[in-house]
């Protein structure tokens, strides 16, 4: 009887703790996502976009995730090779104790070996707070701010052009226009401190 009661207590404890462990892992915060996301197609992701840091032109990212929330593929290539063969965005990544990506060295299929890298920092609530991108000719540092509801309200990108030896700064404010049933935004207006505004769209698929 005591053994059964102990097992019941242990199982109850596991079911209590497991959700917090799972929610703390993965790469969903990198893409401002939550829930059991399987795939996200993001159109016009300009500020803080991977591989570019900040893109002045329209671009598209298709990101797929495991059921644990770890990024598997980015635009049909591996998110991280980690010793595997095949084309990849990063040839190596590093994760923190919560399983979140904090560093990625960019695959030499895009850049000369060792010339590109990205770093990611998170706030106390697990939101992406800082993203840096660097290659042989540019350094981009983007910080993110959120409103009381946890929605991203703005991003500030500092862009250093090492070839031209100048630095510029772009602040983008966001206004969510549509969200899905899981609370992820699917359409938002982005207003930069200089230049024309743009609309970002996301199509999100979930695990059942």
């Amino acid at each position: 009887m005591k053994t059964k009661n102990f097992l019941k207590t242990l199982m109850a404890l596991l079911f209590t703790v497991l959700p917090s462990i799972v929610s703390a892992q993965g790469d969903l915060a990198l893409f401002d996502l939550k829930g059991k996301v399987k795939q996200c197609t993001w159109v016009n992701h300009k500020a803080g976009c991977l591989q570019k840091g900040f893109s002045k032109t329209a671009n598209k990212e298709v990101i797929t995730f495991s059921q644990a929330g770890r990024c598997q593929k980015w635009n049909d290539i591996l998110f991280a090779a980690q010793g595997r063969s095949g084309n990849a965005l990063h040839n190596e990544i590093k994760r923190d104790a919560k399983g979140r990506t904090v560093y990625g060295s960019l695959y030499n299929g895009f850049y000369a070996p060792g010339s590109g890298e990205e770093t990611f920092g998170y706030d106390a609530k697990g939101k992406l707070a800082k993203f840096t991108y660097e290659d042989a000719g540019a350094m981009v540092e983007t910080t993110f701010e959120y409103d009381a509801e946890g929605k991203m309200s703005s991003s500030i990108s500092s862009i250093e052009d090492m070839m031209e030896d100048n630095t510029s700064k772009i602040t983008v404010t966001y206004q969510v226009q549509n969200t899905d049933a899981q609370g992820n935004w699917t359409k938002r207006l982005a207003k930069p401190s200089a230049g024309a505004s743009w609309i970002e769209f996301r199509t999100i698929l979930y695990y059942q």
Side-chain angles (χ1 to χ4, degrees):
M1 182 68 69
K2 289 183 178 180
T3 301
K4 288 184 178 180
N5 289 336
F6 172 76
L7 289 174
K8 287 181 180 179
T9 302
L10 181 60
M11 290 299 294
L13 180 61
L14 283 174
F15 280 113
T16 300
V17 174
L18 188 59
S20 64
I21 294 175
V22 173
S23 64
Q25 296 177 342
D27 300 308
L28 296 176
L30 289 183
F31 305 95
D32 196 21
L33 291 165
K34 58 185 177 181
K36 298 180 179 180
V37 178
K38 183 177 183 180
Q39 178 178 293
C40 175
T41 301
W42 191 334
V43 179
N44 278 350
H45 186 198
K46 298 185 179 184
C49 57
L50 299 185
Q51 192 195 353
K52 297 180 181 179
F54 188 93
S55 173
K56 294 182 179 179
T57 58
N59 62 83
K60 178 181 177 180
E61 291 179 291
V62 180
I63 315 111
T64 60
F65 300 90
S66 69
Q67 293 200 50
R70 290 197 173 189
C71 186
Q72 295 179 314
K73 287 190 175 182
W74 179 87
N75 285 355
D76 293 324
I77 62 175
L78 294 171
F79 177 67
Q82 302 295 88
R84 294 175 291 177
S85 60
N87 202 6
L89 175 63
H90 303 105
N91 63 319
E92 180 187 4
I93 62 171
K94 295 179 182 178
R95 296 182 180 274
D96 63 12
K98 295 184 177 181
R100 302 173 300 192
T101 299
V102 294
Y103 169 85
S105 57
L106 291 164
Y107 183 60
N108 58 16
F110 292 110
Y111 305 101
S115 67
E117 62 179 17
E118 298 173 326
T119 64
F120 310 90
Y122 304 87
D123 63 19
K125 295 182 179 180
K127 296 282 190 177
L128 183 64
K130 183 178 180 181
F131 165 65
T132 66
Y133 159 86
E134 183 176 6
D135 63 21
M139 169 69 180
V140 181
E141 180 179 295
T142 302
T143 56
F144 303 93
E145 295 182 351
Y146 301 84
D147 62 20
E149 297 180 348
K151 294 185 177 65
M152 186 179 294
S153 56
S154 67
S155 64
I156 303 173
S157 297
S158 176
I159 306 168
E160 180 181 356
D161 187 332
M162 300 175 186
M163 306 300 290
E164 299 294 331
D165 194 25
N166 63 50
T167 302
S168 59
K169 182 175 288 188
I170 299 176
T171 299
V172 182
T173 57
Y174 300 101
Q175 180 182 346
V176 173
Q177 297 183 332
N178 286 320
T179 58
D180 63 15
Q182 284 69 33
N184 287 310
W185 67 264
T186 55
K187 180 182 178 181
R188 72 179 182 183
L189 174 65
K191 298 180 179 180
S193 51
S197 300
W198 66 83
I199 297 289
E200 298 183 18
F201 299 93
R202 299 196 303 187
T203 301
I204 306 169
L205 304 178
Y206 295 89
Y207 286 102
Q208 299 299 317

